[in-house]
Amino acid sequence: MLPKLKILDEKNKTLRTISKAVSFPLSDKDKKMIDDSLKYLEMSQIEEYSEKYNLRPGMGLAFIQLGVPKRIFVIVDEVDQGKFEHYVIINPKIISHSEELVYVEEGEGCLSVNRPVEGIVPRYARVKVEAQDIDGNVCTYRLREDLSVAFQHELDHLDGILFVDKIDPKNPYKDKEKMRSL
Ligand code: NI
């Protein structure tokens, strides 16, 4: 069964909230929301379900997209055909990043942005992120390429920023030649 999630649209001002740091232990409600989000994202990436439920495939979801201003996001990464890795990221911060910038060739997507958007978003090719896991343990993640972009996209959500904010509509492919495409 597809978990019932109400994902806010970009027009909703709640998405502009700066989310608050989370303390531990997590509430059962938060844990359920994490589980539901992971399941939703995984199903959205499986063609059978994305067609059945008319879902746009999504890789990441931040709590604020569900109207909850807590510094939590989840990411589901298909590492192999039908094999998914789940990330639960709480109170994250970027410890260091590459000089090199990249962008997603076909443009970034967001489950809160329900329209085609032209343009590219500069992202660090590699980031090192420190965050807490679901039990509050501090973990370090070294991320590159698509995962690096996904983490930066979700980190932005925690600060009320959408990827569309980073695109100048008058010059949507600005500095493209200075970056590598993914
Ligand atoms: Ni998003």
Side-chain angles (χ1 to χ4, degrees), residues 60-62 65 109-113 153-154 157 161-163:
L61 195 62
Q65 292 178 273
C110 179
L111 294 176
S112 292
V113 178
H153 177 117
E154 299 309 324
H157 274 302
I161 299 164
L162 300 177
F163 81 94

mmCIF file of all heavy atoms in Angstrom, residues 60-62 65 109-113 153-154 157 161-163, ligand 1:
data_model
loop_
_atom_site.group_PDB
_atom_site.id
_atom_site.type_symbol
_atom_site.label_atom_id
_atom_site.label_comp_id
_atom_site.label_asym_id
_atom_site.label_seq_id
_atom_site.Cartn_x
_atom_site.Cartn_y
_atom_site.Cartn_z
ATOM 1 N N GLY A 60 14.289 12.212 -2.857
ATOM 2 C CA GLY A 60 14.400 12.747 -1.499
ATOM 3 C C GLY A 60 13.143 13.465 -1.065
ATOM 4 O O GLY A 60 12.346 13.920 -1.894
ATOM 5 N N LEU A 61 12.980 13.524 0.258
ATOM 6 C CA LEU A 61 11.832 14.236 0.815
ATOM 7 C C LEU A 61 12.238 14.786 2.181
ATOM 8 O O LEU A 61 12.802 14.053 3.006
ATOM 9 C CB LEU A 61 10.652 13.274 0.950
ATOM 10 C CG LEU A 61 9.265 13.865 1.169
ATOM 11 C CD1 LEU A 61 8.824 14.736 -0.004
ATOM 12 C CD2 LEU A 61 8.244 12.756 1.393
ATOM 13 N N ALA A 62 11.966 16.075 2.392
ATOM 14 C CA ALA A 62 12.266 16.703 3.678
ATOM 15 C C ALA A 62 10.962 16.840 4.467
ATOM 16 O O ALA A 62 9.887 16.984 3.882
ATOM 17 C CB ALA A 62 12.894 18.078 3.448
ATOM 18 N N GLN A 65 8.356 19.413 3.688
ATOM 19 C CA GLN A 65 7.468 19.185 2.543
ATOM 20 C C GLN A 65 6.173 18.495 2.972
ATOM 21 O O GLN A 65 5.200 18.463 2.225
ATOM 22 C CB GLN A 65 8.167 18.349 1.468
ATOM 23 C CG GLN A 65 9.319 19.095 0.788
ATOM 24 C CD GLN A 65 10.018 18.211 -0.230
ATOM 25 O OE1 GLN A 65 10.928 17.479 0.125
ATOM 26 N NE2 GLN A 65 9.587 18.267 -1.479
ATOM 27 N N GLY A 109 14.618 17.992 -10.002
ATOM 28 C CA GLY A 109 13.184 17.872 -9.792
ATOM 29 C C GLY A 109 12.902 17.927 -8.306
ATOM 30 O O GLY A 109 13.808 17.776 -7.487
ATOM 31 N N CYS A 110 11.643 18.172 -7.969
ATOM 32 C CA CYS A 110 11.256 18.267 -6.570
ATOM 33 C C CYS A 110 9.787 17.878 -6.482
ATOM 34 O O CYS A 110 8.985 18.325 -7.309
ATOM 35 C CB CYS A 110 11.454 19.699 -6.079
ATOM 36 S SG CYS A 110 10.988 19.937 -4.359
ATOM 37 N N LEU A 111 9.452 17.059 -5.491
ATOM 38 C CA LEU A 111 8.053 16.629 -5.370
ATOM 39 C C LEU A 111 7.123 17.780 -4.996
ATOM 40 O O LEU A 111 5.911 17.646 -5.073
ATOM 41 C CB LEU A 111 7.941 15.482 -4.358
ATOM 42 C CG LEU A 111 8.622 14.175 -4.786
ATOM 43 C CD1 LEU A 111 8.550 13.129 -3.687
ATOM 44 C CD2 LEU A 111 8.003 13.628 -6.075
ATOM 45 N N SER A 112 7.712 18.932 -4.612
ATOM 46 C CA SER A 112 6.892 20.107 -4.314
ATOM 47 C C SER A 112 6.771 21.062 -5.494
ATOM 48 O O SER A 112 6.027 22.039 -5.414
ATOM 49 C CB SER A 112 7.483 20.870 -3.122
ATOM 50 O OG SER A 112 7.361 20.118 -1.941
ATOM 51 N N VAL A 113 7.515 20.793 -6.556
ATOM 52 C CA VAL A 113 7.466 21.686 -7.724
ATOM 53 C C VAL A 113 6.811 20.925 -8.867
ATOM 54 O O VAL A 113 7.433 20.067 -9.499
ATOM 55 C CB VAL A 113 8.881 22.190 -8.101
ATOM 56 C CG1 VAL A 113 8.825 23.075 -9.337
ATOM 57 C CG2 VAL A 113 9.499 22.945 -6.929
ATOM 58 N N HIS A 153 20.197 19.416 -2.200
ATOM 59 C CA HIS A 153 18.819 19.811 -2.492
ATOM 60 C C HIS A 153 17.967 19.715 -1.219
ATOM 61 O O HIS A 153 17.228 20.643 -0.890
ATOM 62 C CB HIS A 153 18.277 18.903 -3.609
ATOM 63 C CG HIS A 153 16.840 19.134 -3.967
ATOM 64 N ND1 HIS A 153 16.450 19.571 -5.215
ATOM 65 C CD2 HIS A 153 15.693 18.977 -3.256
ATOM 66 C CE1 HIS A 153 15.120 19.687 -5.231
ATOM 67 N NE2 HIS A 153 14.641 19.317 -4.066
ATOM 68 N N GLU A 154 18.103 18.599 -0.495
ATOM 69 C CA GLU A 154 17.297 18.404 0.720
ATOM 70 C C GLU A 154 17.756 19.325 1.852
ATOM 71 O O GLU A 154 16.926 19.841 2.607
ATOM 72 C CB GLU A 154 17.343 16.943 1.172
ATOM 73 C CG GLU A 154 16.796 15.937 0.157
ATOM 74 C CD GLU A 154 15.404 16.291 -0.365
ATOM 75 O OE1 GLU A 154 14.587 16.816 0.407
ATOM 76 O OE2 GLU A 154 15.144 16.055 -1.550
ATOM 77 N N HIS A 157 16.040 22.505 1.560
ATOM 78 C CA HIS A 157 14.655 22.492 2.055
ATOM 79 C C HIS A 157 14.600 22.852 3.540
ATOM 80 O O HIS A 157 13.672 23.525 3.995
ATOM 81 C CB HIS A 157 14.032 21.098 1.876
ATOM 82 C CG HIS A 157 13.411 20.875 0.527
ATOM 83 N ND1 HIS A 157 12.407 21.679 0.025
ATOM 84 C CD2 HIS A 157 13.634 19.929 -0.416
ATOM 85 C CE1 HIS A 157 12.051 21.228 -1.174
ATOM 86 N NE2 HIS A 157 12.784 20.169 -1.470
ATOM 87 N N ILE A 161 14.605 26.784 1.268
ATOM 88 C CA ILE A 161 15.047 27.112 -0.097
ATOM 89 C C ILE A 161 14.622 26.017 -1.074
ATOM 90 O O ILE A 161 14.785 24.829 -0.795
ATOM 91 C CB ILE A 161 16.587 27.266 -0.132
ATOM 92 C CG1 ILE A 161 17.013 28.416 0.795
ATOM 93 C CG2 ILE A 161 17.102 27.499 -1.548
ATOM 94 C CD1 ILE A 161 18.504 28.404 1.126
ATOM 95 N N LEU A 162 14.097 26.425 -2.212
ATOM 96 C CA LEU A 162 13.738 25.484 -3.282
ATOM 97 C C LEU A 162 14.737 25.636 -4.426
ATOM 98 O O LEU A 162 15.289 26.719 -4.638
ATOM 99 C CB LEU A 162 12.335 25.775 -3.803
ATOM 100 C CG LEU A 162 11.195 25.671 -2.789
ATOM 101 C CD1 LEU A 162 9.872 26.055 -3.447
ATOM 102 C CD2 LEU A 162 11.107 24.272 -2.216
ATOM 103 N N PHE A 163 14.921 24.565 -5.176
ATOM 104 C CA PHE A 163 15.916 24.632 -6.254
ATOM 105 C C PHE A 163 15.591 25.719 -7.278
ATOM 106 O O PHE A 163 16.486 26.324 -7.866
ATOM 107 C CB PHE A 163 16.102 23.259 -6.935
ATOM 108 C CG PHE A 163 15.060 22.903 -7.961
ATOM 109 C CD1 PHE A 163 15.267 23.179 -9.313
ATOM 110 C CD2 PHE A 163 13.875 22.303 -7.597
ATOM 111 C CE1 PHE A 163 14.323 22.860 -10.266
ATOM 112 C CE2 PHE A 163 12.911 21.973 -8.556
ATOM 113 C CZ PHE A 163 13.133 22.256 -9.883
HETATM 114 NI NI NI B 1 12.715 19.036 -3.206
#
